[in-house]
Amino acid sequence: LADLHETFPGARISHVYAGSEFGSTGSVRDGLDGLPAALLGRADGDVAIKIVDGELWVRSTAAMVGYYGEPDLTDDHWWPTGDLVEVEDDRIRFRGRKSEVINVGGTKVHPLPLEERIAGIDGVRAVRVYGRPNPLVGAVVAVDVVPEGDVEEGVLRDAVRAACADLPRPWQPRVV
């Protein structure tokens, strides 16, 4: 968001949350990350959202009736979105996708917070965090980094490891 505001200072930025199964849940234009937590438990008749085990669920009157070849869904059907969220500072903050979670020896590692942390390192232009198969623990955290400018590879690798040194061991990148 900060980069968007800096790049397009006169732009009005809207955050719209929607899914192909349930349509739009609405939008906010307050310039803050995530959605207002006040949306939780609110039932305005058209859309309702809740969090179940860290995953955002939606019920909407605009939702599709079901998938081809399966029975129609009821009007009060809740859709698990696959979006992992948590409430922080009165905001629903998106932490990643359920399908992207890296299982490191039973510990669930979410790539998005790591990507955000590593993207803040001087000399990092872009970053991707993912699970790399490992025969002992199932997967380890791997990081691909695109450097900004003439940053030395070794210096950047050390900066990534230092930025993640305070995290629990399973969250620390093993491959950079």
Side-chain angles (χ1 to χ4, degrees), residues 83-101:
D83 291 317
L84 299 173
V85 298
E86 67 184 25
V87 176
E88 179 182 283
D89 299 326
D90 293 326
R91 300 297 287 189
I92 302 168
R93 299 196 190 274
F94 292 82
R95 299 301 187 209
R97 298 277 303 153
K98 199 171 186 178
S99 61
E100 296 171 349
V101 173

Side-chain angles (χ1 to χ4, degrees), residues 34-57:
L35 300 170
L39 296 174
L40 292 169
R42 187 189 85 192
D44 64 5
D46 292 329
V47 176
I49 64 173
K50 66 181 178 179
I51 299 172
V52 177
D53 295 328
E55 180 180 7
L56 192 65
W57 286 53

Side-chain angles (χ1 to χ4, degrees), residues 6-7 25-26 46 50 58 65 71 76 81 85 94 106-107 116-118 125 130 136 144 146 155 162 166:
E6 183 179 323
T7 305
T25 64
D46 292 329
K50 66 181 178 179
V58 175
V65 294
D76 62 347
T81 65
V85 298
F94 292 82
T107 299
E116 290 171 344
R117 178 182 283 229
I118 295 167
R125 181 174 183 185
Y130 58 97
L136 185 61
D144 290 343
V146 176
V155 170
D166 65 323

Side-chain angles (χ1 to χ4, degrees), residues 1 12-19 22-39 42 44 46-49 56 58 60 91-92 94:
L1 284 173
R12 186 176 69 178
I13 299 171
S14 298
H15 182 161
V16 179
Y17 185 76
F22 53 79
S24 175
T25 64
S27 67
V28 292
R29 293 186 180 107
D30 58 11
L32 301 174
D33 183 28
L35 300 170
L39 296 174
R42 187 189 85 192
D44 64 5
D46 292 329
V47 176
I49 64 173
L56 192 65
V58 175
S60 171
R91 300 297 287 189
I92 302 168
F94 292 82

Side-chain angles (χ1 to χ4, degrees), residues 15 21 27 31 38 43 55-56 64 67-68 83 102 128 134 151:
H15 182 161
E21 296 90 352
S27 67
E55 180 180 7
L56 192 65
M64 64 183 203
Y67 292 102
Y68 178 75
D83 291 317
I102 305 165
R128 177 178 76 119
N134 178 281
V151 179

Side-chain angles (χ1 to χ4, degrees), residues 140-157:
V140 294
V141 174
V143 178
D144 290 343
V145 176
V146 176
E148 182 77 59
D150 295 332
V151 179
E152 280 187 43
E153 184 176 320
V155 170
L156 198 52
R157 183 179 291 113

